[in-house]
Amino acid sequence: MAKKLGPGKCVHCLKDVEERNSDHVFPESWYPDSTPLDLEKWQIPSCISCNEAYGRLEQDFLVRVGLCLDPHDPASKSIVEKAVRSLKPAAARNARDAQHRLGKGKRILAQALHGDKIPDHGVFLGLDDRWADIPSERTAILIPKQSFERITEKIVRGIFYIEDGIFIEPPYIIDFFASAEDDNSPWQQALERWGKVYERPPGIVVRRAVAEDRVSSIFEMTFWKQFKTYAAVSR
Ligand SMILES: [Zn+2]
């Protein structure tokens, strides 16, 4: 469970609060089994309500994304197993837990799209690699866009806090992007030239390029070596 910290500012909502927890920037359960044992995991101070809200979002995200990752790649194998196990009533600790797992699996399956019902847009790059060759045999798991946004924002705030001790406050805002066009885009060129790498491999690798004001920046995040998200911090 999260370590208790004293009063201070929450990295996420920026409120001054009496009680804070130490929150994992990249959730603890997201570190695959292939993570080096001596790796220090990123942690930041968070208010209790942000910590709990992120906990729920991250759990849901892990199951949905876990069903789309490569079950053979060491970077994601244990994550896929965890996602599948979390939906299996047979793996439950008690009857209530079994019901919970069954309900969650039914909910995710009810939202899934099949065959020609899957739209061309909105398919997340890197999560579609293991689809069946025949389109009618494909299944798409619904993953809320907001989850990608919130998780990306959390990592942006976390890296600024850990590296520079900075809270990202107005007038700065964080924008999320699902892709960064091609390899020759100005964005990619800036990351190539000025980007610094922050990593907790193989779970997460982040590249960040910061402008002269020390806050405006662009980010590229690679999750489990399989998909990327992007963010920009600007005024
Ligand atoms: Zn908060």
Side-chain angles (χ1 to χ4, degrees):
M1 229 19 239
K3 201 167 74 211
K4 281 212 185 311
L5 302 172
K9 200 194 274 278
C10 168
V11 170
H12 308 300
C13 68
L14 307 172
K15 283 182 196 144
D16 276 301
V17 291
E18 283 303 310
E19 207 187 330
R20 292 176 303 168
N21 277 341
S22 178
D23 187 14
H24 282 269
V25 174
F26 189 67
E28 207 168 10
S29 59
W30 291 18
Y31 285 91
D33 287 355
S34 52
T35 304
L37 285 174
D38 58 353
L39 189 85
E40 192 196 333
K41 294 169 180 166
W42 290 326
Q43 296 190 54
I44 50 173
S46 163
C47 76
I48 312 295
S49 80
C50 282
N51 201 335
E52 286 174 357
Y54 263 116
R56 286 190 294 274
L57 184 143
E58 287 158 359
Q59 217 176 10
D60 180 74
F61 187 80
L62 186 76
V63 177
R64 292 171 190 271
V65 165
L67 297 174
C68 307
L69 295 172
D70 188 341
H72 305 296
D73 191 320
S76 53
K77 185 173 181 280
S78 67
I79 301 300
V80 177
E81 287 165 358
K82 202 175 283 180
V84 172
R85 202 164 52 235
S86 78
L87 302 177
K88 264 194 187 151
R93 292 178 296 271
N94 52 48
R96 200 165 149 239
D97 184 25
Q99 271 303 320
H100 176 75
R101 287 170 197 243
L102 200 64
K104 193 156 68 171
K106 275 187 180 162
R107 220 162 36 241
I108 289 174
L109 279 182
Q111 294 168 342
L113 298 173
H114 306 278
D116 59 7
K117 294 279 190 298
I118 302 171
D120 291 334
H121 66 273
V123 176
F124 211 94
L125 220 64
L127 288 177
D128 56 347
D129 293 355
R130 283 152 299 283
W131 257 343
D133 289 336
I134 306 163
S136 63
E137 292 179 1
R138 293 174 182 170
T139 296
I141 303 289
L142 196 77
I143 306 172
K145 180 171 172 243
Q146 206 212 3
S147 299
F148 285 103
E149 288 172 358
R150 300 271 291 136
I151 285 153
T152 301
E153 178 182 342
K154 184 188 189 191
I155 294 169
V156 168
R157 292 187 180 282
I159 288 193
F160 264 104
Y161 180 82
I162 289 167
E163 282 302 307
D164 311 316
I166 286 176
F167 295 87
I168 299 174
E169 300 185 77
Y172 289 96
I173 53 158
I174 302 170
D175 283 308
F176 162 83
F177 304 93
S179 69
E181 297 149 21
D182 57 89
D183 289 349
N184 293 316
S185 67
W187 185 296
Q188 283 295 343
Q189 286 171 11
L191 282 171
E192 280 303 322
R193 236 169 121 184
W194 296 293
K196 200 179 154 195
V197 176
Y198 305 88
E199 54 181 358
R200 287 295 181 266
I204 177 97
V205 176
V206 180
R207 281 199 296 170
R208 176 181 75 153
V210 187
E212 276 174 358
D213 66 6
R214 297 184 57 213
V215 183
S216 299
S217 50
I218 54 176
F219 281 78
E220 175 198 71
M221 305 174 188
T222 307
F223 295 83
W224 299 291
K225 293 183 168 176
Q226 273 156 75
F227 68 93
K228 293 173 195 270
T229 66
Y230 300 85
V233 182
S234 63
R235 289 172 80 99

